Amino acid sequence: MNVQFLSVFLKFFFLLTPFFVLSSFLSMTAEDSELNRKKIAVKVTFSVIIISFILLFIGKELFNLFGITLNSFRIGTGVLLFLSAKRLVDGIDTGKIEKKYEDVSVVPLAIPITVGPATTGALLVMGYELKTVQDKIVGFSALTVAILVVGVMLYLSGAIERIIKKQGINILSKITGLILAALSAQMVMVGILGFMEKT
């Protein structure tokens, strides 16, 4: 169970693109005080937890409602995930992100920066795949821990920026992109193999 938990935790953690989120958070809260930054970090964390759990729960119902097969969604999500990974590897200038909202904790930090289209699709697929009670316990707990770790990163964003600098965050963001590219390839291949088995 520990190995399963670690595996699911790492998938969720990298799906949330933590270092891109951290970079965006620092950019959008650059004019805020340290105390206000921490308040925003807490609100982002709770918002992402609520959104992510809703997505995990509605996956099966959503597929049934629209008549979408799981393998079709795997392939579509894999493609979206690959595009997200490519953007991270190519490098995204988060300094260009403008603060258009008075409260940025839910929009755009929670949605779509932390839980974007690719992450949404992946959560729907993973939620559908949680069949047994043990799978659900492991899945929900691993997702919660992953989100809390990202939340702690945002809460300590000022200290992290001082230690590894913006360049270090960008490098880690690119590494995250490579891992996401591998996850997307796996998701697409599982979807294709699923179709082949049924033909």
Side-chain angles (χ1 to χ4, degrees):
M1 187 171 177
N2 290 336
V3 175
Q4 184 185 7
F5 175 86
L6 182 60
S7 175
V8 177
F9 162 76
L10 289 174
K11 284 181 181 179
F12 280 134
F13 179 71
F14 285 106
L15 277 172
L16 294 170
T17 59
F19 299 104
F20 170 63
V21 173
L22 176 62
S23 182
S24 301
F25 179 85
L26 288 167
S27 175
M28 301 195 74
T29 60
E31 298 177 2
D32 290 276
S33 65
E34 191 70 19
L35 179 61
N36 200 40
R37 267 186 174 181
K38 290 182 176 180
K39 289 180 179 178
I40 294 172
V42 172
K43 290 179 71 175
V44 171
T45 304
F46 280 105
S47 298
V48 172
I49 286 175
I50 293 169
I51 294 163
S52 298
F53 271 84
I54 289 173
L55 291 171
L56 273 183
F57 276 115
I58 68 171
K60 187 173 183 179
E61 286 70 21
L62 197 65
F63 294 157
N64 293 336
L65 178 64
F66 290 100
I68 303 171
T69 65
L70 178 59
N71 290 319
S72 299
F73 214 83
R74 278 175 176 151
I75 295 171
T77 299
V79 172
L80 277 177
L81 201 56
F82 178 79
L83 294 175
S84 296
K86 185 178 183 301
R87 290 180 64 213
L88 289 178
V89 173
D90 289 343
I92 304 170
D93 187 0
T94 53
K96 293 181 179 179
I97 297 176
E98 298 179 4
K99 186 175 179 179
K100 298 180 180 179
Y101 307 90
E102 187 174 340
D103 183 0
V104 297
S105 57
V106 179
V107 180
L109 282 174
I111 302 176
I113 291 176
T114 308
V115 184
T119 307
T120 297
L123 286 169
L124 290 171
V125 170
M126 288 182 176
Y128 190 97
E129 292 173 338
L130 299 176
K131 303 293 185 183
T132 67
V133 174
Q134 179 178 317
D135 287 342
K136 290 178 181 178
I137 292 172
V138 171
F140 295 149
S141 56
L143 175 59
T144 302
V145 174
I147 295 171
L148 289 176
V149 171
V150 175
V152 170
M153 288 174 59
L154 299 184
Y155 193 83
L156 302 175
S157 58
I160 294 173
E161 185 181 31
R162 286 191 293 272
I163 294 170
I164 64 175
K165 310 297 182 185
K166 185 177 180 180
Q167 185 177 6
I169 295 172
N170 288 337
I171 290 171
L172 291 171
S173 186
K174 290 177 184 291
I175 294 172
T176 301
L178 293 174
I179 295 171
L180 284 183
L183 288 174
S184 70
Q186 183 183 30
M187 196 170 287
V188 170
M189 286 304 299
V190 170
I192 292 173
L193 289 173
F195 271 122
M196 291 175 65
E197 287 175 0
K198 293 182 178 181
T199 57

